[in-house]
Amino acid sequence: MKRKYMVNFSSFLISFFLMLSILMLTKYAPFGNKSLAGMDANIQYLDFFAYYKDLLARKTGIFSMSYLLGGDNTTTLAYYLASPLNLIILFFKKNQLNTFYSFLYIIKVSLASFTITFFLQQRFPRIKSFYVVILAISYAFIQYDLAQASNIIWLDGVYLLPILLLGIYKIIDDPKSLLGKFLIIGGVGCSLIFNWYTGIINCLFSVFYFLFELGLYYEREKGFVLKDISKRILVYAYSSVIGCMLSAFLFLPNVYMLIHGSRNSTDWSLFNTRFINNPLEFIGHLSIGATSTINNVSLYCGPLTIVGLFSYFFLRNRKKDQKFIIFLGIIFIALLYYWQPLYFLFSMFKSVESYWSRYGYLGSFFIIFVTALFLNEYRESNSKDSIIYGTVLFSTVFLIFNWNNLSKIVILSLCLTIITAISVIAYEACHNKLSIILLTLCVCLGLGLNASKLFAKYSVGTNVASFKKYESSQDKQINFIKKKDKSNYRISQTSTRNMLKNNLTANYNESLAFNYWSIASYTSNESVDQLDLLNNLGYRNELGRAVVVNTSILGSDSLLGVKYLLSKYPISGYKRMDVGKVNGKYIFINKYALPIAYISKKRIIPKFNANTFEYQNSIYSEIYGKRIEIYKPVSYTVQRRGKYILDTHMIKDTNFPVYGNLIWNMSTPDGSLYINNKFKSGYATWLSPSVFDIPVNKNTTDVSFKAKQIPNLQPQFYYLNTNMLEKVNNSVKKDSVKPLFKGNRIFIHIGKTNKNSYLNITVPYSEGWSVYRNDKKIKVQKFLNCFMTIRLKPGVNNIEFKYNTPMKKEGIIISVLGILLSSMIIFFHIDKV
């Protein structure tokens, strides 16, 4: 028993220090200026982890006004932050997040090595410890683990999968196995808690694996009766259900919010029965440096696994039934990635546009499983030539698929596989140390080279030194504003930590990172009402995930209570504060910003008429109490210049701020916007704005749109009458109130009011809000179909808004029931013993 534990810890430690060595040699944090936090980790996760650190320090809460326009962060927590391994962030500062990220990644892949060691030792008792360690390291370094270094949230599913599947093996071998039941309960529960996405993937795969192990058991035991099957199905089913129950405290509210979120629909148009590609293509991608794409998957997990996978079918003295079951398993794994119905199912009924393949670790696990089965049975099979035949078969098929791409790395991959095969033959024949050393070197070289190549490809984006400098400076700038102004307001900005060459950005979570109220966000699930309002106000969104706020619309900002703007350049209508710039950005103040809460004589319910400027005119008219126009059209002429350029000559007859909106009717023509022949930003493309501010210094202005294909644009140009905006602002401030925010509660005291008044507060409406007026619960209505408004009674009104996450209580009750059921299983098991 002690020896088995030693093997587990050896696998963990070897994987840990091997990965640490690779980061050291390739100069990733903490050993260099490069970071594993590339792509979405750079765009989103570093900011989420900064928020998580504040959450642990109780500087913010699950309900936060820093999330878009304000809302519940349960979905963010459940998807990005729920893994308990994230708690190691307590040992790092905010400007050390890249180092934290590296250690978190190493720990997760090393845990994968640890858990699969436990699985292999229990599942294949005759396999040698040396092979177990090699296979465990291979699992830690599978292509999926390396490719998802920039998407670390999905790695919890990798190390929890072996625990769940071992439980299935145990209960099939013995339905009374207490260990098997609790491995399933724990595997399902922890998978869904740590990251619900890979948790569901693990649960789906467990159904296949249950049938697979059932088939192998049938072959071993020479058949069994229907009663035996039903007993095992029942144990598997109720163990899985209890596991789901344990996760309900987080999973249930998360599901509720996903259903009510921006990406709640199923892409049924993607469902068909076609093949994405030739399923045998996966063999050609068993190579160092191979990447998964929309049409192919890379399941590379080292040369030893390739040898084992192909050599297994040449073992002698093995029953054909077992080989047939393994063959069916391999076919299923191939179909997972190349047959649309299974691809659609394991992609959660959604279109997958990046991070292929999101469940690649399932295939790599199965390859390691077959390799372990081969090594477990190799000596007793008396099939010394099986490795030769298997290696020849792989080499032939591999060369066929790579014949037109025989790069050095492809040839090296093949050579390492052949040398590994020779080393296994030599080791099994005479057990000499040289063969062990050669085998270890081949495996480590293959996995190490694959790691360095994939890190270089996927982990691009974050410069550690620049990140530290930006974080420290931005923190000081935000804290300066907070110390200067203790009131309630929102802050916006025209640039972020990462700006693309076309002046666009995807970093929209800095408000979470630095704990301030904003109007931008980029998460996997946003509030539909908030997205619609912001879109109607001129801030478009990308596919229900990111709100594009890289410019400023003064009327919209004022309505939303944006009092401060961080910008590298002046914005008309904003006044620059007399303080130095930080990260190249000055602080601008908006004197027209409306308060967060104010009283109106009637309920404000304007309708959107497909024109953001006229829509704002309607809103401000209802707030002011009579028809006004804060926006007025600007005269312009349009002229096409050739096939690729559209010029708009705008006649400016005012000194007020001017805005444009070139409404396009085709998907992303990928153009560029120029003002007075000066490039402003990418436009009508990914992450580009809709409404844009126009810095005008002359009486006329040229706005040009350049693209490879010019769509039928519908230009809109308006100027904003700040005098009228100021009138509205002054009128509102007379009836403004000062809300007191305390965690998930808001308190407002209002003195004498007349009977025809409403309290409007620009805090988003949600089912989780309960509102009390003078200690009596009252009905809440929507303001702008997004925020909250309540009717006031004559006299004094003491208002309390209280927020509770929907389905949280129900989820906790179900989780407690799950714990009780788990306790009952232990009790009855002990009682029978």
Side-chain angles (χ1 to χ4, degrees):
M1 184 64 71
K2 288 183 179 179
R3 185 182 176 186
K4 286 188 176 182
Y5 287 131
M6 286 298 296
V7 174
N8 276 273
F9 286 109
S10 295
S11 299
F12 178 90
L13 291 174
I14 292 171
S15 299
F16 185 94
F17 286 108
L18 185 58
M19 186 62 76
L20 196 67
S21 300
I22 292 172
L23 296 188
M24 185 184 299
L25 292 172
T26 50
K27 296 183 179 179
Y28 283 87
F31 307 107
N33 208 31
K34 294 190 291 184
S35 174
L36 291 176
M39 301 174 70
D40 277 4
N42 183 24
I43 295 169
Q44 296 177 286
Y45 304 167
L46 293 180
D47 288 334
F48 291 151
F49 284 128
Y51 159 76
Y52 183 64
K53 189 169 179 63
D54 283 344
L55 185 65
L56 294 175
R58 296 187 178 182
K59 294 180 181 179
T60 186
I62 298 298
F63 174 84
S64 172
M65 290 294 290
S66 301
Y67 168 53
L68 198 51
L69 295 173
D72 194 315
N73 271 311
T74 294
T75 54
T76 302
L77 182 69
Y79 188 46
Y80 300 100
L81 302 170
S83 172
L85 295 178
N86 294 336
L87 290 171
I88 67 171
I89 200 172
L90 293 170
F91 301 101
F92 299 88
K93 298 177 181 178
K94 275 191 178 182
N95 63 4
Q96 296 175 320
L97 287 177
N98 289 286
T99 298
F100 152 76
Y101 192 92
S102 292
F103 278 106
L104 182 61
Y105 173 74
I106 295 173
I107 289 172
K108 285 191 177 186
V109 297
S110 300
L111 272 176
S113 180
F114 181 88
T115 58
I116 202 169
T117 299
F118 182 57
F119 173 88
L120 293 173
Q121 288 179 314
Q122 295 284 324
R123 182 62 180 78
F124 306 104
R126 295 196 306 272
I127 192 171
K128 295 176 182 177
S129 297
F130 167 69
Y131 286 136
V132 170
V133 173
I134 291 293
L135 291 177
I137 295 170
S138 299
Y139 189 60
F141 282 76
I142 59 176
Q143 193 274 350
Y144 179 89
D145 288 356
L146 303 174
Q148 306 306 331
S150 59
N151 200 31
I152 199 170
I153 60 174
W154 290 343
L155 296 183
D156 296 280
V158 179
Y159 66 77
L160 289 169
L161 181 68
I163 294 173
L164 171 58
L165 302 189
L166 179 59
I168 291 173
Y169 167 73
K170 289 287 186 182
I171 62 111
I172 286 179
D173 193 53
D174 177 13
K176 296 179 181 179
S177 171
L178 182 64
L179 177 61
K181 294 172 186 176
F182 272 88
L183 288 175
I184 295 174
I185 292 171
V188 170
C190 290
S191 291
L192 294 173
I193 294 169
F194 292 7
N195 178 267
W196 66 264
Y197 191 85
T198 52
I200 294 177
I201 289 173
N202 283 359
C203 292
L204 289 173
F205 186 73
S206 74
V207 177
F208 153 76
Y209 190 79
F210 176 81
L211 297 175
F212 172 74
E213 284 284 17
L214 200 62
L216 291 178
Y217 181 82
Y218 179 89
E219 185 275 330
R220 285 196 307 272
E221 300 300 322
K222 299 180 176 59
F224 46 82
V225 298
L226 183 61
K227 182 180 178 182
D228 294 329
I229 297 176
S230 58
K231 185 184 296 183
R232 286 162 174 79
I233 292 174
L234 180 63
V235 173
Y236 165 68
Y238 76 66
S239 298
S240 298
V241 169
I242 293 173
C244 291
M245 292 175 69
L246 291 180
S247 71
F249 73 94
L250 181 61
F251 188 63
L252 193 61
N254 174 59
V255 168
Y256 175 88
M257 291 188 181
L258 289 173
I259 292 172
H260 291 81
S262 59
R263 302 187 68 207
N264 59 358
S265 59
T266 299
D267 301 325
W268 287 112
S269 61
L270 301 173
F271 183 76
N272 56 67
T273 57
R274 71 179 180 88
F275 282 90
I276 297 168
N277 203 345
N278 180 359
L280 293 178
E281 283 281 354
F282 89 90
I283 299 174
H285 278 65
L286 293 174
S287 169
I288 296 170
T291 58
S292 294
T293 65
I294 192 171
N295 296 317
N296 279 307
V297 65
S298 174
L299 303 177
Y300 184 76
C301 37
L304 179 60
T305 61
I306 297 172
V307 173
L309 176 66
F310 285 85
S311 300
Y312 168 78
F313 293 98
F314 294 96
L315 288 175
R316 295 194 190 98
N317 301 329
R318 296 294 98 187
K319 290 186 176 182
K320 292 182 180 180
D321 288 347
Q322 186 190 61
K323 286 186 179 180
F324 181 68
I325 293 168
I326 298 297
F327 180 69
L328 289 179
I330 292 173
I331 290 177
F332 176 82
I333 292 299
L335 292 178
L336 271 183
Y337 308 102
Y338 293 99
W339 192 43
Q340 187 64 28
L342 287 176
Y343 190 90
F344 183 61
L345 173 64
F346 279 81
S347 296
M348 305 293 146
F349 310 106
K350 290 288 184 181
S351 172
V352 176
E353 297 151 354
S354 61
Y355 293 111
W356 303 283
S357 171
R358 301 186 174 197
Y359 50 94
Y361 64 96
L362 304 179
S364 295
F365 173 88
F366 194 78
I367 290 174
I368 291 173
F369 177 95
V370 177
T371 302
L373 181 62
F374 167 75
L375 295 171
N376 192 58
E377 300 182 355
Y378 175 71
R379 176 157 297 189
E380 294 183 6
S381 68
N382 193 26
S383 308
K384 295 180 181 179
D385 54 356
S386 60
I387 294 178
I388 297 174
Y389 294 142
T391 306
V392 169
L393 175 62
F394 166 74
S395 301
T396 303
V397 178
F398 183 76
L399 286 173
I400 290 172
F401 281 105
N402 288 284
W403 190 253
N404 295 323
N405 186 33
L406 283 178
S407 61
K408 291 180 180 179
I409 200 68
V410 169
I411 295 172
L412 176 61
S413 299
L414 183 58
C415 289
L416 286 176
T417 303
I418 294 171
I419 297 171
T420 298
I422 295 170
S423 301
V424 175
I425 294 171
Y427 174 66
E428 290 296 331
C430 54
H431 292 67
N432 60 53
K433 293 182 179 179
L434 181 60
S435 60
I436 295 177
I437 294 171
L438 189 60
L439 173 59
T440 304
L441 285 175
C442 285
V443 172
C444 290
L445 181 60
L447 296 174
L449 282 174
N450 198 40
S452 61
K453 284 189 169 293
L454 293 183
F455 286 166
K457 178 177 178 61
Y458 292 109
S459 300
V460 177
T462 306
N463 179 291
V464 176
S466 298
F467 175 84
K468 287 183 177 180
K469 182 179 179 182
Y470 184 92
E471 292 291 296
S472 298
S473 300
Q474 189 81 346
D475 193 53
K476 290 178 182 177
Q477 191 173 50
I478 295 298
N479 284 332
F480 171 82
I481 297 173
K482 287 182 177 180
K483 289 178 181 178
K484 182 180 182 299
D485 191 339
K486 301 290 185 180
S487 63
N488 300 310
Y489 50 82
R490 292 185 169 97
I491 301 173
S492 187
Q493 56 182 354
T494 60
S495 62
T496 63
R497 176 168 55 83
N498 289 305
M499 297 300 296
L500 304 175
K501 291 181 180 179
N502 58 359
N503 287 343
L504 303 179
T505 182
N507 285 69
Y508 285 121
N509 294 308
E510 289 189 12
S511 56
L512 279 172
F514 299 102
N515 195 17
Y516 65 86
W517 299 7
S518 184
I519 59 173
S521 175
Y522 183 5
T523 68
S524 61
N525 191 65
E526 304 277 19
S527 162
V528 176
D529 289 346
Q530 294 186 47
L531 292 182
D532 287 345
L533 174 61
L534 287 164
N535 184 72
N536 294 345
L537 293 177
Y539 291 118
R540 63 181 286 268
N541 72 82
E542 285 288 4
L543 302 176
R545 301 172 192 169
V547 180
V548 180
V549 185
N550 61 353
T551 184
S552 173
I553 310 167
L554 185 60
S556 303
D557 290 354
S558 300
L559 183 68
L560 298 171
V562 177
K563 192 174 181 180
Y564 296 96
L565 177 71
L566 310 180
S567 178
K568 293 183 177 182
Y569 54 88
I571 297 290
S572 184
Y574 278 88
K575 182 180 179 182
R576 197 180 105 182
M577 295 181 64
D578 190 20
V579 291
K581 62 181 178 180
V582 175
N583 290 326
K585 293 178 281 193
Y586 295 98
I587 301 175
F588 294 86
I589 189 166
N590 175 17
K591 69 176 183 177
Y592 309 105
L594 271 61
I596 295 297
Y598 53 89
I599 298 171
S600 62
K601 293 181 179 179
K602 63 177 184 178
R603 188 181 169 198
I604 302 168
I605 47 174
K607 292 183 179 180
F608 181 63
N609 56 0
N611 183 315
T612 186
F613 306 106
E614 296 299 337
Y615 178 57
Q616 290 185 56
N617 281 341
S618 299
I619 295 173
Y620 278 103
S621 294
E622 293 199 22
I623 291 174
Y624 191 58
K626 62 181 180 181
R627 177 64 185 174
I628 59 171
E629 290 186 331
I630 63 167
Y631 286 100
K632 289 190 177 181
V634 174
S635 300
Y636 64 90
T637 59
V638 178
Q639 178 182 0
R640 285 183 179 265
R641 184 156 35 110
K643 294 182 179 179
Y644 311 113
I645 303 176
L646 185 73
D647 286 335
T648 303
H649 185 68
M650 187 179 61
I651 303 170
K652 181 176 180 294
D653 54 3
T654 176
N655 292 320
F656 293 126
V658 180
Y659 300 93
N661 187 12
L662 309 180
I663 302 174
W664 61 90
N665 60 0
M666 64 179 290
S667 59
T668 57
D670 294 325
S672 299
L673 189 67
Y674 292 80
I675 297 178
N676 291 332
N677 297 317
K678 184 179 179 181
F679 176 74
K680 182 171 178 65
S681 72
Y683 195 77
T685 187
W686 173 252
L687 294 173
S688 67
S690 178
V691 176
F692 53 92
D693 65 294
I694 302 174
V696 183
N697 298 316
K698 301 176 183 178
N699 291 328
T700 60
T701 296
D702 288 319
V703 176
S704 298
F705 175 74
K706 300 180 181 180
K708 292 182 180 179
Q709 184 179 2
I710 300 295
N712 294 321
L713 299 176
Q714 302 174 41
Q716 296 175 346
F717 294 96
Y718 283 76
Y719 74 85
L720 173 63
N721 188 329
T722 53
N723 292 333
M724 294 302 300
L725 184 60
E726 189 170 17
K727 282 186 178 181
V728 178
N729 183 273
N730 291 336
S731 173
V732 169
K733 284 183 177 178
K734 292 178 182 177
D735 295 315
S736 66
V737 294
K738 294 182 179 180
L740 176 63
F741 286 77
K742 284 189 175 182
N744 63 338
R745 295 188 177 191
I746 307 172
F747 300 92
I748 298 177
H749 173 75
I750 302 173
K752 292 183 179 181
T753 60
N754 61 49
K755 60 182 179 180
N756 296 317
S757 60
Y758 286 82
L759 171 66
N760 307 301
I761 182 167
T762 52
V763 173
Y765 171 85
S766 166
E767 294 294 335
W769 283 110
S770 298
V771 183
Y772 300 87
R773 182 183 59 208
N774 298 330
D775 297 326
K776 286 187 178 181
K777 191 172 182 179
I778 59 173
K779 185 179 178 181
V780 183
Q781 294 176 303
K782 285 187 179 181
F783 160 45
L784 301 181
N785 200 41
C786 174
F787 300 127
M788 293 186 287
T789 185
I790 61 171
R791 190 166 187 170
L792 298 175
K793 276 193 169 184
V796 176
N797 289 260
N798 288 308
I799 312 296
E800 179 185 356
F801 295 80
K802 185 178 180 180
Y803 184 82
N804 285 301
T805 300
M807 304 304 292
K808 181 181 177 181
K809 290 181 180 178
E810 293 86 342
I812 291 173
I813 292 170
I814 294 173
S815 292
V816 171
L817 288 175
I819 294 172
L820 292 175
L821 289 174
S822 301
S823 302
M824 288 174 63
I825 291 174
I826 296 175
F827 175 79
F828 286 115
H829 179 84
I830 294 173
D831 187 55
K832 288 180 181 179
V833 173

